[in-house]
Amino acid sequence: MAQNGANATGAAGAERVAVAVGAAGAERVANPAPKVAVVTGAGSGLGRGIAKALAMNGYDVGIHSGSNAERARALAKELGETSGRRVEAFESDFTQPGGAVRLFEQFNGKFDRLDLFVNNAGVTMGGRILDLTEEVFDTVNNI
């Protein structure tokens, strides 16, 4: 409760917010823009589940896949239809130099902000860690 008896949710509090941020800012406070997330490795597995949860909870989502663009596009279409959110698919191979930069160039062409980055991309190769060659170990850990 403020000293003058008005709390932040009352009319006086709303008026102070409108004055403090201006008319355009007050509109954003009343109708905030959806948050935007990008999930790497979202074509399958855990990343797919994270992307679904975000879209169903009001996020616009960028879905990244490094190896299966068709699966990422299908998921983007499905989530866009079921969640009503904006969902875009992006393909970029993180095993190649500049792969992460390419993802964000594509992302920046579709979205004007990023609120949440989920770094989920990865690969599984070989078997037991003690049996991996140095090359395979580096590939797995460099994603």
Side-chain angles (χ1 to χ4, degrees), residues 67-142:
S67 61
N68 194 327
E70 188 56 42
R71 190 175 352 176
R73 283 192 293 273
L75 178 60
K77 183 176 189 264
E78 172 194 331
L79 290 182
E81 291 171 356
T82 59
S83 71
R85 305 304 323 154
R86 180 173 173 206
V87 184
E88 301 281 347
F90 304 103
E91 181 181 19
S92 182
D93 185 350
F94 287 177
T95 66
Q96 300 300 311
V101 171
R102 277 191 293 285
L103 167 62
F104 283 100
E105 287 172 346
Q106 293 172 56
F107 181 85
N108 287 335
K110 298 284 185 175
F111 293 99
D112 62 357
R113 61 188 270 180
L114 177 62
D115 298 294
L116 177 65
F117 175 72
V118 180
N119 187 19
N120 174 72
V123 296
T124 303
M125 301 172 74
R128 294 173 0 129
I129 194 164
L130 296 174
D131 296 334
L132 299 180
T133 66
E134 184 175 349
E135 180 181 50
V136 169
F137 182 85
D138 287 345
T139 298
V140 169
N141 287 289
N142 286 335

Side-chain angles (χ1 to χ4, degrees), residues 2-101:
Q3 280 187 325
N4 67 5
N7 65 33
T9 59
E15 184 177 316
R16 281 193 301 276
V17 169
V19 169
V21 298
E27 177 61 26
R28 283 193 302 276
V29 170
N31 299 307
K35 292 195 174 190
V36 180
V38 65
V39 181
T40 65
S44 64
L46 185 59
R48 180 182 181 89
I50 293 169
K52 282 184 175 183
L54 289 169
M56 298 310 288
N57 283 283
Y59 277 79
D60 288 346
V61 182
I63 294 175
H64 161 264
S65 177
S67 61
N68 194 327
E70 188 56 42
R71 190 175 352 176
R73 283 192 293 273
L75 178 60
K77 183 176 189 264
E78 172 194 331
L79 290 182
E81 291 171 356
T82 59
S83 71
R85 305 304 323 154
R86 180 173 173 206
V87 184
E88 301 281 347
F90 304 103
E91 181 181 19
S92 182
D93 185 350
F94 287 177
T95 66
Q96 300 300 311
V101 171

